[in-house]
């Protein structure tokens, strides 16, 4: 039975659960040698995309009082974009960090209070969003990142990601 709080975020939690699995599926079988491959473009490579998604989950968890950081935090904190000539963590490192934070953040989302969801976060001059709005945007962004990794799989010659 859903709690009152869970029903407020039920659809987002359902997406969260799907994306928790899809993220790992998108990374499945990709070699560490390919994690930095940009196919001679300026596009974000898989290592940056994956780390950015992991960082986003840790950042959301910090909104609920968690203080943990992913192992590659210094490469992503303060919304850093891709940095040329950096060696990003392995995909296995990202999977481990993802597996560590996902249940913690899910629990925070399920148990979020109205007060926590209504907290305004300043994003710049005259721009603020509630935690609930940031959770919704983050869900969208996470799905987008998973889709980009799925495209990279095909561009790099891997089979399509599995959804089951």
């Amino acid at each position: 039975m859903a709690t009152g709080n869970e029903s407020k975020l039920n659809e987002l939690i359902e997406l969260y659960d799907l994306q928790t699995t899809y993220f790992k599926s998108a990374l499945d079988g990709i070699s560490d040698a390919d994690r930095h491959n940009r196919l001679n473009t300026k596009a974000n490579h898989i290592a940056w995309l994956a780390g950015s998604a992991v960082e986003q989950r840790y950042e959301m968890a910090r909104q609920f009082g968690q203080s943990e950081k992913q192992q590659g935090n210094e490469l992503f904190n303060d919304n850093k974009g891709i940095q040329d000539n950096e060696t990003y963590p392995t995909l296995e490192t990202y999977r481990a960090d993802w597996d560590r934070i996902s249940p913690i953040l899910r629990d925070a989302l399920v148990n979020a209070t109205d007060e926590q969801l209504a907290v305004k976060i300043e994003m710049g001059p005259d721009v603020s969003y509630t935690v609930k709005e940031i959770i919704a945007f983050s869900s969208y962004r996470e799905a987008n990142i998973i889709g980009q990794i799925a495209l990279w799989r095909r561009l790099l010659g891997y089979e399509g990601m599995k959804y089951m």
Side-chain angles (χ1 to χ4, degrees), residues 1-138:
M1 177 162 191
T3 66
N5 292 332
E6 186 176 6
S7 65
K8 291 176 193 154
L9 296 176
N10 192 44
E11 291 82 9
L12 292 175
I13 292 169
E14 288 176 16
L15 285 172
Y16 182 90
D17 290 342
L18 287 171
Q19 290 166 190
T20 297
T21 301
Y22 291 168
F23 176 80
K24 293 187 288 189
S25 180
L27 295 179
D28 218 24
I30 295 174
S31 73
D32 276 333
D34 281 335
R35 80 184 192 270
H36 289 102
N37 193 338
R38 296 169 90 175
L39 295 175
N40 298 315
T41 71
K42 289 304 227 172
N44 295 326
H45 52 56
I46 291 171
W48 186 87
L49 290 165
S52 180
V54 171
E55 182 65 23
Q56 180 175 274
R57 283 212 169 174
Y58 277 84
E59 180 60 34
M60 283 194 298
R62 286 191 283 277
Q63 296 301 321
F64 293 98
Q66 295 295 320
S67 60
E68 290 190 53
K69 294 180 180 178
Q70 73 156 313
Q71 295 172 69
N73 172 262
E74 69 283 349
L75 295 167
F76 299 98
N77 63 5
D78 298 324
N79 299 309
K80 286 181 190 163
I82 195 167
Q83 299 166 66
D84 293 330
N85 304 315
E86 279 289 345
T87 300
Y88 285 80
T90 66
L91 301 181
E92 192 55 43
T93 298
Y94 290 140
R95 281 186 199 99
D97 284 338
W98 184 263
D99 287 343
R100 191 172 79 230
I101 199 60
S102 292
I104 294 167
L105 178 55
R106 187 184 194 286
D107 185 60
L109 294 172
V110 167
N111 294 301
T113 65
D114 288 339
E115 293 77 22
Q116 288 173 312
L117 295 174
V119 168
K120 292 257 187 190
I121 298 173
E122 301 300 321
M123 304 295 275
D126 302 321
V127 179
S128 66
Y129 297 98
T130 65
V131 168
K132 186 175 182 182
E133 290 168 332
I134 290 173
I135 292 167
F137 173 77
S138 295

